[in-house]
Amino acid sequence: MILTDEIAARYVGGQIEVHNQIKARLYRGEIGTIAVEGEGSYATLSVRLNWMAKGEGFPPFPARWVPDDHTTYGASLMTYSVSDIGDGCLALNSAIVGEIVVLFPPDGSKLDQSKVEGLNADEVQERRIRNAALDLLYKDRDLDDTKFTPPGVIGHGIAR
């Protein structure tokens, strides 16, 4: 399956889950904006999140969720295979990077933000407003002229 910008746009308001098998980390967050830029081996996925949480105690399962300051995610799609895994969800899997990423639609599985210990609701609301404005801006522009890659994202994964 090829992930296009049109397909990715369906996940705005949904959630992303990033499972890094190499670093044994699990993240979950709410998608504010999402875009696929470029084509073929140059295609990249860029996501801005309204909030991000890290699962502590993982593996095997997170004992609790805590806020994470990294609210951007990027991936070179050349290194990921994309699959429809049902219920409107997409899985991006990279053996090279050691990540499994799941995109959940707005009406799909959700980590309730109230379950994230210490998440600042006012900051989340501010990000939602900013990301909604950015999403409208990018929809109104020719994506070939838009350089959407979030600052601090180099290569793949959560910005560090």
Side-chain angles (χ1 to χ4, degrees):
M1 174 178 193
I2 296 173
L3 182 59
T4 65
D5 194 57
E6 292 78 23
I7 293 171
R10 299 177 197 161
Y11 294 89
V12 170
Q15 292 192 357
I16 185 172
E17 184 172 285
V18 180
H19 174 200
N20 187 300
Q21 299 166 320
I22 295 170
K23 296 179 181 176
R25 293 185 181 154
L26 182 66
Y27 297 91
R28 185 89 181 229
E30 183 180 85
I31 299 169
T33 64
I34 186 169
V36 175
E37 298 177 342
E39 296 178 7
S41 60
Y42 297 104
T44 59
L45 176 68
S46 297
V47 184
R48 288 184 188 268
L49 301 160
N50 296 330
W51 56 267
M52 173 72 88
K54 179 180 178 185
E56 287 194 343
F58 177 83
F61 301 103
R64 65 189 194 123
W65 291 94
V66 296
D68 192 275
D69 292 334
H70 304 104
T71 56
T72 58
Y73 176 83
S76 170
L77 293 177
M78 176 175 63
T79 62
Y80 288 78
S81 62
V82 180
S83 305
D84 181 338
I85 58 172
D87 292 330
C89 299
L90 294 182
L92 290 77
N93 189 353
S94 175
I96 295 168
V97 177
E99 278 187 351
I100 299 171
V101 178
V102 179
L103 300 176
F104 296 92
D107 62 348
S109 170
K110 290 191 187 257
L111 170 61
D112 184 343
Q113 79 178 54
S114 69
K115 303 290 184 198
V116 181
E117 297 175 19
L119 187 64
N120 185 316
D122 292 335
E123 288 177 11
V124 169
Q125 187 59 27
E126 287 174 17
R127 274 196 214 101
R128 279 193 183 117
I129 292 167
R130 182 180 65 240
N131 286 334
L134 285 171
D135 193 46
L136 288 173
L137 173 69
Y138 289 116
K139 284 180 182 175
D140 288 342
R141 293 180 66 189
D142 180 358
L143 287 175
D144 290 339
D145 295 334
T146 301
K147 300 300 178 211
F148 179 70
T149 304
V153 174
I154 300 172
H156 63 276
I158 294 170
R160 294 283 171 225

